[in-house]
Amino acid sequence: MSDKLVIRQHAVKSDERACDAYSALIDQIVRLADVVEAVGNGIARPTGQSLARWQVLAAVEHEAAPVGDIAGRLGHTRQSVQRVADLLVDDELGCYRPNPAHQRAKLLEVTPVGRAALHRMQAAYTHLALRTTEGLDPERLDLARETLSELQRRLESELP
């Protein structure tokens, strides 16, 4: 366990079992997020992409959208998604088209080249998902997801 995690975990230790379990879960989520990012970048790398570029391409796979909407769905800032979208357009993986609902907020859409890269990443992801979930009970995975969703809702209710 990293020194930062040990310090943080010690700071929130209590005699309450639920608090200790919550703290351990949050620490595990942070470690998992780091691994998910590294694996995602590893899947994207052979197509010349990154996890961030993959996420933005996937967000417009079925329907073009303004950068602000993409950012909201991904939970990122508009500015960071704008940088990624501009790079995708520069590399001809995406293109901007006029937005009939808003003159200044153009729609980002995936190009055929971008769709091909996206499909290669999605195929690699499917193989990874099949390997890493082999032998796991889908009901337990669903329960874990539902628990994380409930914790997210509760934490979001604490936001100012």
Side-chain angles (χ1 to χ4, degrees), residues 36-160:
V36 167
E37 182 176 2
V39 168
N41 279 316
I43 288 172
R45 192 172 299 112
T47 65
Q49 303 309 309
S50 65
L51 179 58
R53 291 166 63 114
W54 176 7
Q55 289 174 321
V56 173
L57 282 173
V60 294
E61 177 181 16
H62 301 293
E63 184 177 8
V67 167
D69 290 0
I70 298 166
R73 280 186 273 163
L74 296 177
H76 297 300
T77 65
R78 190 201 58 76
Q79 294 86 349
S80 67
V81 173
Q82 185 69 61
R83 282 192 296 274
V84 171
D86 289 344
L87 291 170
L88 291 169
V89 170
D90 289 346
D91 292 343
E92 299 180 351
L93 297 160
C95 64
Y96 292 118
R97 65 178 167 89
N99 181 351
H102 193 285
Q103 192 172 4
R104 290 181 49 208
K106 293 183 175 119
L107 299 173
L108 176 68
E109 69 181 348
V110 66
T111 64
V113 173
R115 190 171 308 284
L118 180 60
H119 289 171
R120 286 193 307 274
M121 290 181 283
Q122 290 168 331
Y125 173 80
T126 297
H127 291 297
L128 171 79
L130 291 171
R131 285 191 314 274
T132 58
T133 60
E134 187 176 343
L136 293 176
D137 180 356
E139 289 178 9
R140 289 187 63 203
L141 292 172
D142 286 339
L143 179 59
R145 181 189 44 76
E146 290 167 9
T147 301
L148 291 173
S149 292
E150 178 61 25
L151 284 172
Q152 179 180 348
R153 279 191 294 278
R154 290 178 184 204
L155 284 170
E156 286 172 344
S157 74
E158 297 290 328
L159 292 172

Side-chain angles (χ1 to χ4, degrees), residues 26-44:
I26 296 299
D27 288 342
Q28 185 63 48
I29 291 168
V30 170
R31 289 191 298 274
L32 176 60
D34 290 343
V35 172
V36 167
E37 182 176 2
V39 168
N41 279 316
I43 288 172

